[in-house]
Amino acid sequence: MANIHSQKKRILRAERERLENRRYTSTIKTYFRRLEVAVGEGEDATADVEHRALIQTIDKAVKRGALHRNTGARKKSRAARVRAGQPSA
């Protein structure tokens, strides 16, 4: 543990930020699984809702810095392929 006051504050802040980033990545994974299930079961309306929510969450995570923009673009592209019914390679 650090002895310097500012470093103690920085450790606490880094932990808060790490948890925030984990929330975003976890939510993205959950939406992606839901999208795959909806497409697999042939539920178009549900798949549209899940896809829209997934894209919004990815964009927000990229804007906040939780994901790199190329990672966000890759995930959105993969989601679009799943939504279109093509297998993800």
Side-chain angles (χ1 to χ4, degrees):
M1 187 66 186
N3 291 324
I4 299 168
H5 182 69
S6 61
Q7 189 59 39
K8 289 179 182 177
K9 289 196 308 190
R10 185 67 193 150
I11 289 169
L12 294 174
R13 183 173 160 199
E15 179 66 13
R16 271 198 319 270
E17 291 169 358
R18 186 183 72 83
L19 292 175
E20 178 93 12
N21 293 344
R22 288 281 304 271
R23 267 194 295 274
Y24 276 114
T25 55
S26 175
T27 304
I28 288 168
K29 288 177 188 176
T30 301
Y31 279 131
F32 197 85
R33 279 192 294 270
R34 286 187 193 172
L35 175 63
E36 287 178 324
V37 169
V39 168
E41 293 176 353
E43 298 174 359
D44 285 339
T46 307
D48 283 340
V49 171
E50 297 298 343
H51 185 256
R52 195 172 302 115
L54 174 60
I55 297 303
Q56 286 177 346
T57 307
I58 290 171
D59 286 338
K60 202 174 290 188
V62 168
K63 187 177 84 174
R64 290 290 312 263
L67 288 180
H68 190 275
R69 68 174 191 258
N70 290 355
T71 303
R74 186 179 67 242
K75 288 181 182 294
K76 284 165 62 172
S77 173
R78 189 170 167 219
R81 279 203 318 266
V82 168
R83 179 65 194 103
Q86 298 173 351
S88 58

